[in-house]
Amino acid sequence: MVDTRAPGLAPTGPDGDALVWYVAYGSNLHAARLACYLRGGRPDGGAQDHPGGRDRRLPRRTVATALPGTLYFADLSLTWGGGSAFYDPAPPGDVPCRAYLLTAGQFSDLAAQEMRRLPGADLDLAPVLATGRAELGPGRYETLLHVGELDGHPLLTFTASRGVAGAELNAPTPPYLRTLAAGLAESHGWGPWRAAGYLATRPGAAGHWTPRAVAALLG
């Protein structure tokens, strides 16, 4: 059984679970890709299997949303090769996102897998809820952000501690771009050309991909 008494959160779900919104901005925009972190498995086009979490239920709700800032591609993804998507709230712009209503335990197990750790331990969410930001380490997706509230539940996401200015930019691979575009279509109704224009102009992709090349990739 998952311990639903998440530090910093009161039980708010119908089953006594503490609930949070996980705000996805990268490949987890695509529901099937997110499900690999919840139920285990390998995403289409990916190179790694994920163990999944303790609570394998799918999200209670899903809503399209957006955050201020920019999306950029950096570092090296073990699942996709090439750069991974990260979020920097500082630059001007808007980032299309998708919020999934999860238990705090599900969020913890999802975050652990993104951080390249084993799932199974609940995160202490009290610091990020109190201050808006909590750094659990210097690596990928080890910085938690509290980016708002929705229907009485906190909106949480994770990214790298350094922003785009301090990142080692790296272009995304075709399978990764396809997954991102599928997520944008699924969550925001974006067609191939709109998705291509957005993805190709993000830092890390710009100069390596053009909107026309990404659109051709998406068919």
Side-chain angles (χ1 to χ4, degrees), residues 10-187:
T12 52
D15 302 321
D17 297 324
L19 300 179
V20 302
W21 292 98
Y22 160 55
V23 184
Y25 53 82
S27 62
N28 287 332
L29 288 166
H30 192 32
R33 196 277 178 271
L34 176 83
C36 293
Y37 283 127
L38 298 176
R39 294 184 164 181
R42 178 180 299 196
D44 186 28
Q48 276 197 321
D49 292 311
H50 302 296
R54 294 163 288 173
D55 181 347
R56 302 201 168 208
R57 291 176 293 178
L58 293 176
R60 283 169 162 78
R61 288 177 57 199
T62 303
V63 297
T65 186
L67 292 176
T70 193
L71 178 89
Y72 65 94
F73 297 100
D75 301 339
L76 179 64
S77 170
L78 298 181
T79 299
W80 306 102
S84 296
F86 294 93
Y87 168 64
D88 187 342
D94 290 297
V95 180
C97 300
R98 191 176 197 180
Y100 298 93
L101 190 60
L102 305 175
T103 69
Q106 286 179 308
F107 177 80
S108 296
D109 287 347
L110 167 62
Q113 292 171 84
E114 288 277 31
M115 295 175 192
R116 297 177 180 170
R117 304 176 183 179
L118 291 175
D122 288 334
L123 293 174
D124 181 0
L125 299 178
V128 68
L129 294 174
T131 66
R133 182 183 179 98
E135 295 188 7
L136 306 183
R140 46 178 284 127
Y141 304 123
E142 292 185 336
T143 295
L144 303 180
L145 300 177
H146 179 200
V147 295
E149 305 282 332
L150 179 62
D151 295 339
H153 307 300
L155 291 151
L156 301 175
T157 193
F158 36 74
T159 187
S161 59
R162 57 10 181 198
V164 62
E168 185 176 342
L169 298 179
N170 193 16
T173 60
Y176 194 47
L177 288 172
R178 289 192 191 98
T179 302
L180 286 162
L184 289 168
E186 194 175 80
S187 58

